[in-house]
Amino acid sequence: QVQLVESGGGLVQPEGSLRLSCAASGSFFRLDSMGWYRQAPEKQRELVASIDSGGTTNYADSVKGRFTISRDNAKNTVYLQMTSLKPEDTAVYYCNVRNFWNPRSYIDYWGQGTQVTVSS
């Protein structure tokens, strides 16, 4: 069982920066893939970025070059450094852990969500 606690959301001006953190706790042997999803009002939840246990990253095209995902395995924490923020980045951001049992079988754990609002 994995519990995820997010922090770092808030109100920021366009072109500003924000750093999200997500700390995992509970009983687990490993954290395979850690990532961030977001959901804007009346929109579907979408993957923003992910990072696997080996450090391989994946980003949505809309955030490439602006967001950086990283993880600190000693702290069981994943971060999302967001720069050059745009109003369209406004959403609730959810931390995700995906532990794989095989290439097509996995279990997802989710954080509580943290609001990011980009507005002047």
Side-chain angles (χ1 to χ4, degrees), residues 98-113:
R98 177 168 290 181
N99 278 349
F100 287 88
W101 309 119
N102 60 58
R104 301 298 296 271
S105 181
Y106 55 83
I107 185 167
D108 280 336
Y109 301 91
W110 296 94
Q112 79 279 8

Side-chain angles (χ1 to χ4, degrees), residues 1-7 21-25 31 33-39 44-50 78 92-99 106-114:
Q1 183 66 228
V2 180
Q3 294 82 46
L4 303 174
V5 179
E6 305 174 31
S7 62
S21 299
C22 174
S25 63
L31 301 170
S33 180
M34 305 186 77
W36 294 92
Y37 289 70
R38 68 186 181 188
Q39 187 166 24
Q44 293 183 329
R45 187 174 298 188
E46 64 175 350
L47 175 68
V48 177
S50 66
V78 63
V92 177
Y93 285 69
Y94 296 92
C95 180
N96 167 262
V97 165
R98 177 168 290 181
N99 278 349
Y106 55 83
I107 185 167
D108 280 336
Y109 301 91
W110 296 94
Q112 79 279 8
T114 185

Side-chain angles (χ1 to χ4, degrees), residues 79-100:
Y79 305 94
L80 186 67
Q81 180 66 54
M82 304 183 292
T83 62
S84 301
L85 282 161
K86 305 174 180 180
E88 52 262 45
D89 295 318
T90 296
V92 177
Y93 285 69
Y94 296 92
C95 180
N96 167 262
V97 165
R98 177 168 290 181
N99 278 349
F100 287 88

